[in-house]
Amino acid sequence: DRNNITAAKIWLEEYNTEAEKVRPEAQEASWTWNTNITDYNNRLKLEAEKKKSEFDKRSYNQTLNWDWKNFTEINAKRQFYKIADIGESVLPTDKFQQITKAKSNMQSVYSKARVCNKPGDQDPSKCYPLNPTLENIMAKSTDWKELAWAWEGWRNETGRKMPDDYEKFVELANEAAGMNGYTDNGDYWRSWYETENFEKQMEELFIGLKDLYKLLHAYARKKLKERFVGHPFPDSGQIPAHLLGNMWAQSWGNLFTLLAPYPGKPLDVTEMMREQNYTTRKMFDLSEKFFTDLGLDPMPPKFYNDSMLDKPEDGRDVVCHASAWDFYNRKDFRIKQCTQVTMDWLITTHHEMGHVQYFLQYKDQPVVFRRGANPGFHEAIGDVLALSVSTPKHLKKINLLRPNQNPDDEELQLNFLMNQALKKIAFIPFGYLIDQWRWKVFKGETKKDEYNEDWWNLRCKHQGVSPPVQRFNTDFDAGSKFHVPNNTPYIRYFVSYVIQFQFHKALCKEAGHNGPLHKCDIDQSTEAGNKLAAMMKLGSSKEWPDAMEAITGQRKMNVSDLIEYFAPLEDWLKKEVKNETLGWDDQCGRNFTIP
Ligand SMILES: O=C(CCC(O)(O)[C@H](Cc1ccccc1)NC(=O)c1ccccc1)N[C@@H](Cc1ccccc1)C(=O)O
Ligand SMILES: [Zn+2]
C-alpha cells in the first residue's frame, strides 16, 4: 500500500538501476553532439533526450503510488522528492521537442559563431572564433578600435541571432515550471538552494561586497583612463566594457601588467609555463597531483582517453566552453575544454577537475543525490584548491615562480593579492547580475523588447560598465555569454565565490596554517582533504547547511572570510584612490549616453 516503506525502497532500487542505464545513453548522445556539432548528431541527441524525458515522466507517475510526502524515513523521502522534480521533462512530447530545439539552435549559433572584417586584415572574409582568437585579442590588445571590433562583432554573431528562440525557450520553461508547481522557471531554479527568501540573501551578500568592488573599479578606471587617454569615458563614471581584458568584463586578470602595485615584480606564470614547454596533459597532471596529495581520488584510467582536452584541429565544430561530465554509471567521467597554455587555463583546469572530484566522491550515492549540496558547492571545489595553487609559495614549489623572486617578498605578495582581486572581486557583480536579469525575464517583468535595455541597466548599475558602441533593442547582449543560450544558471558562481573563501579559511585551519589567509597553501594536508571528501560524499543527500557545517562548522553563507582575505589590498586601494570619485551614476539602459 501507499505507506509500505519496504516496498517503496525496493522501487527506489529499481529506479536507480534503470536510471543508471537511461542517463549514460543520454549523456553519451549529448557528448557526441558537443564534440562534433552536426545535424545528424543533433537528431541523435534529441532522440536520447526524448527517451530520458519519457523515463522521467514514467518515474514521476510511479511516485504517485506512494504517500512519500508523509514518509518518516528522511533519505527515502528526499529521493522521492528529487525523482518527482522532473523539470522540463514534464512537458508533453511536442512542447518538449520545441524547447529542446530552441536550446539546440541557440547553443549551435553560440558555438559556431565567427567574427570577420578584422581591422587591418587584407582579406576581410577571414573569420575568427572566440577561442582562442577573440579571447586573446580581448586579453592582450590595447587598441581601442580592435577591442571594439571584437566586442561588437561577437555580439552581432551570437546574441543578435537569438531573441526569438530565447523568447520561445522562456515561454516553455515557464510552462514546465508551472506544471511542476513553481511560479516560473526562476522560482524552480532557486528551489535548488532550499533557502527561504534566497533572493534577499543573495542581495545582502552582494551589498556586503559592493564597497570592495567600488575601490577596485575606481582604481582600474583611473589606470585605464591613463592608458586610453584621449578616448571617451562616460562622465557618468562607467568603464567602457571592452577595456577590461575579457569579452564580458567578468574577470580583469589580463590587466595585471597595468594594475600591479609593483610592476617590477611580475607574476608571469603563463610565460614560465611556455618556457617550460607546458602541455595540456602536464596541466592536468599537475592538477590531479594536487588532488591526490590531499588524499583525494585520482582520475579513472579511461578519463584521459575519453576526454576532449584540446580544441580538435580537424575543423569540426565543437562546444569549446569548458565542462565536466558525469555519465551516472560510476565508471565514465570526462572533461571537455579547448585548453590553451596559460595561467587562466591552469585555473580552469582545476575548476573542471573539482567537478570530476565531486563526481568521484559521490558516485555511490543514489543517482538523484549525485549533485552538489547546492549548485554553488559544485562550482567551488576546484576554485578552493586553486586558491592554494595560485600562491607565490606554491608557485615556487612547482617552479612557476621566477628563480630570482622571493615568495615572501611583501611587494610580490601585494601583487599576488591584486591578481586575485582582478579575478575574484571583479567577478562579483557579474556573477550576481546575470540571474538578476534572467529571474526578471522569467517573472515576465522584462519583456522581449526590453531584454537589452534591462541587461544594460543591470550591467551599468551593478558592474559599472558601459557599452563601447551604441546598443539597441534589436541587440541581445545577454545572449553573447555562454550560459544564457546554454540555459545554465549563473548565481551558482556568485555563491561559489563567497563560499570558496569560507571553505579556504576552514581548510587552512585544518591544515594548521598560521598567518594571513591569502598566504595559505593547503597542499599535502590530508586532514584538509578528508574534510573536503567527507562533504563531497554527501552529494545532495543532505540540505546544504549540513554540508557547509561539515567543513566550516557554520550553517550560513557570509562574506567575512572573503573580506579578510583581501584586507591588505583593501588598505592599499583606499590610499591609491583617495582622490577618485568612487562608484558611478545609475543612469543606464537604452537612453544610455554613449560617449
Ligand atoms: O562556465 C564556467 C566553467 C564551466 C563549468 O565548469 O562551470 C560548466 C558550465 C556548464 C557547461 C555545460 C553545461 C552545464 C554547465 N559546469 C560543469 O561542467 C558542471 C557543473 C556542475 C556539475 C557538473 C558539471 N565558469 C564561469 C564562471 C567562472 C568560474 C570560475 C572561474 C572563472 C569563471 C564562466 O566561465 O563564466
Ligand atoms: Zn563549473
Side-chain angles (χ1 to χ4, degrees):
D1 76 336
R2 293 175 56 75
N3 292 303
N4 179 336
I5 187 71
T6 314
K9 283 182 177 179
I10 291 168
W11 182 80
L12 287 174
E13 286 293 323
E14 288 161 359
Y15 169 84
N16 218 53
T17 305
E18 184 70 18
E20 286 195 306
K21 276 204 282 294
V22 170
R23 287 192 181 204
E25 285 167 14
Q27 288 294 76
E28 198 61 56
S30 181
W31 174 268
T32 302
W33 181 81
N34 270 268
T35 56
N36 186 7
I37 303 177
T38 64
D39 290 342
Y40 176 71
N41 288 338
N42 193 32
R43 276 198 301 280
L44 291 182
K45 180 165 80 93
L46 291 185
E47 257 319 295
E49 281 172 359
K50 181 166 170 269
K51 221 175 134 201
K52 180 183 174 294
S53 72
E54 282 157 5
F55 167 69
D56 289 346
K57 261 193 277 244
R58 220 173 30 250
S59 306
Y60 167 73
N61 290 328
Q62 288 169 354
T63 61
L64 302 175
N65 299 335
W66 313 96
D67 185 18
W68 59 266
K69 285 177 182 154
N70 296 318
F71 278 4
T72 49
E73 287 222 15
I74 299 295
N75 188 287
K77 178 176 178 176
R78 192 167 172 81
Q79 285 190 60
F80 272 101
Y81 166 69
K82 300 249 178 200
I83 292 169
D85 173 16
I86 60 173
E88 292 159 15
S89 294
V90 72
L91 290 170
T93 310
D94 62 321
K95 288 192 172 179
F96 181 79
Q97 301 280 34
Q98 283 174 39
I99 195 169
T100 318
K101 185 116 195 53
K103 290 197 290 188
S104 276
N105 291 349
M106 293 188 288
Q107 287 165 14
S108 172
V109 162
Y110 185 90
S111 292
K112 289 182 176 178
R114 303 274 185 281
V115 178
C116 318
N117 299 318
K118 180 167 179 291
D121 262 8
Q122 308 308 347
D123 171 4
S125 68
K126 197 164 177 348
C127 305
Y128 304 93
L130 177 71
N131 176 316
T133 321
L134 301 180
E135 282 183 339
N136 284 343
I137 290 170
M138 296 307 290
K140 296 196 183 73
S141 173
T142 57
D143 175 333
W144 180 288
K145 275 179 61 58
E146 186 179 41
L147 287 166
W149 161 79
W151 187 92
E152 184 178 18
W154 178 249
R155 282 154 183 78
N156 290 346
E157 295 308 318
T158 54
R160 193 181 277 193
K161 297 177 174 173
M162 293 179 194
D164 296 346
D165 275 327
Y166 198 74
E167 187 187 37
K168 183 79 185 160
F169 156 72
V170 169
E171 176 198 320
L172 290 168
N174 275 344
E175 194 172 322
M179 290 167 75
N180 290 323
Y182 298 98
T183 45
D184 60 55
N185 196 44
D187 182 35
Y188 170 52
W189 282 5
R190 292 189 295 273
S191 72
W192 300 328
Y193 292 85
E194 297 173 295
T195 301
E196 279 304 303
N197 51 49
F198 179 69
E199 287 183 76
K200 193 89 193 95
Q201 275 207 37
M202 291 302 107
E203 187 188 16
E204 279 157 15
L205 294 173
F206 179 60
I207 289 167
L209 294 167
K210 255 186 192 168
D211 289 344
L212 198 45
Y213 179 75
K214 282 182 178 174
L215 284 171
L216 188 67
H217 177 278
Y219 174 61
R221 181 179 56 196
K222 173 185 158 205
K223 302 292 276 186
L224 284 167
K225 280 184 168 177
E226 290 166 13
R227 167 178 277 183
F228 291 101
V229 69
H231 282 89
F233 281 60
D235 49 24
S236 47
Q238 282 82 5
I239 301 174
H242 65 318
L243 306 180
L244 289 148
N246 173 278
M247 183 59 87
W248 305 277
Q250 72 180 70
S251 166
W252 304 349
N254 291 309
L255 296 184
F256 178 70
T257 49
L258 172 71
L259 301 179
Y262 300 96
K265 300 191 172 174
L267 283 161
D268 50 353
V269 179
T270 299
E271 288 70 23
M272 291 292 279
M273 289 168 74
R274 291 194 171 145
E275 284 167 26
Q276 295 169 40
N277 301 317
Y278 260 63
T279 61
T280 296
R281 180 58 192 258
K282 186 159 174 15
M283 292 160 72
F284 275 87
D285 289 346
L286 191 71
S287 177
E288 182 177 6
K289 187 172 182 314
F290 197 96
F291 281 92
T292 52
D293 283 355
L294 286 174
L296 295 170
D297 292 346
M299 290 299 117
K302 301 173 65 177
F303 169 79
Y304 287 105
N305 231 11
D306 299 346
S307 295
M308 183 197 99
L309 304 181
D310 291 300
K311 182 173 187 177
E313 288 166 356
D314 57 9
R316 101 180 95 121
D317 283 314
V318 298
V319 174
C320 257
H321 195 89
S323 56
W325 295 62
D326 183 352
F327 284 75
Y328 296 105
N329 58 12
R330 310 187 210 207
K331 288 197 310 292
D332 289 305
F333 308 93
R334 298 174 200 165
I335 285 173
K336 174 191 61 56
Q337 64 180 50
C338 300
T339 314
Q340 306 291 320
V341 177
T342 67
M343 177 62 175
D344 267 0
W345 275 98
L346 185 60
I347 301 296
T348 301
T349 298
H350 282 78
H351 178 91
E352 297 308 325
M353 292 285 267
H355 286 311
V356 178
Q357 188 61 222
Y358 219 149
F359 300 156
L360 296 171
Q361 292 295 333
Y362 61 44
K363 70 178 173 33
D364 297 319
Q365 283 283 355
V367 161
V368 288
F369 289 155
R370 295 183 204 167
R371 288 195 188 114
N374 77 37
F377 278 61
H378 230 298
E379 299 307 331
I381 305 301
D383 288 15
V384 167
L385 273 68
L387 286 174
S388 288
V389 171
S390 312
T391 58
K393 184 166 84 173
H394 193 81
L395 292 176
K396 180 87 184 169
K397 212 188 284 182
I398 57 177
N399 195 27
L400 286 177
L401 193 70
R402 292 232 172 264
N404 63 340
Q405 291 196 326
N406 167 9
D408 296 323
D409 176 292
E410 280 314 307
E411 294 181 351
L412 181 77
Q413 279 294 336
L414 203 69
N415 276 356
F416 161 65
L417 258 189
M418 174 60 81
N419 206 25
Q420 291 296 91
L422 294 175
K423 290 176 230 182
K424 301 294 183 183
I425 298 176
F427 181 81
I428 291 297
F430 186 77
Y432 179 72
L433 73 85
I434 290 205
D435 282 349
Q436 293 301 312
W437 178 82
R438 269 195 290 203
W439 291 342
K440 284 176 68 181
V441 169
F442 291 137
K443 281 175 186 168
E445 290 170 12
T446 301
K447 301 277 182 284
K448 182 181 169 194
D449 64 5
E450 298 157 333
Y451 279 172
N452 213 39
E453 177 174 2
D454 202 56
W455 172 256
W456 280 106
N457 270 325
L458 292 167
R459 279 270 272 177
C460 75
K461 176 177 166 56
H462 293 315
Q463 212 179 354
V465 298
S466 59
V469 295
Q470 181 73 41
R471 308 317 286 152
F472 303 93
N473 272 317
T474 44
D475 296 306
F476 178 48
D477 292 335
S480 74
K481 178 63 192 172
F482 172 83
H483 299 69
V484 172
N486 205 66
N487 182 39
T488 303
Y490 210 80
I491 199 71
R492 57 181 60 177
Y493 300 106
F494 176 79
V495 168
S496 161
Y497 274 51
V498 171
I499 64 177
Q500 66 186 244
F501 287 94
Q502 292 178 256
F503 293 172
H504 186 54
K505 174 106 185 265
L507 295 178
C508 288
K509 189 162 161 248
E510 196 65 32
H513 170 76
N514 297 305
L517 185 56
H518 69 281
K519 294 192 175 181
C520 164
D521 172 12
I522 64 169
D523 189 22
Q524 319 256 336
S525 164
T526 47
E527 299 85 354
N530 291 341
K531 265 206 163 199
L532 204 50
M535 184 283 285
M536 289 192 273
K537 278 185 171 56
L538 295 171
S540 60
S541 63
K542 293 280 181 55
E543 298 204 5
W544 70 261
D546 295 340
M548 165 87 74
E549 195 168 26
I551 296 190
T552 70
Q554 303 160 313
R555 299 180 60 83
K556 290 190 91 45
M557 295 180 256
N558 69 60
V559 297
S560 54
D561 295 331
L562 188 158
I563 287 176
E564 176 194 331
Y565 180 94
F566 287 105
L569 183 74
E570 184 175 356
D571 297 339
W572 184 86
L573 281 168
K574 277 177 180 155
K575 287 201 285 292
E576 197 63 25
V577 297
K578 70 175 176 299
N579 301 328
E580 297 292 315
T581 310
L582 299 191
W584 50 86
D585 306 347
D586 279 3
Q587 54 111 355
C588 294
R590 193 172 22 200
N591 59 359
F592 202 79
T593 52
I594 305 297

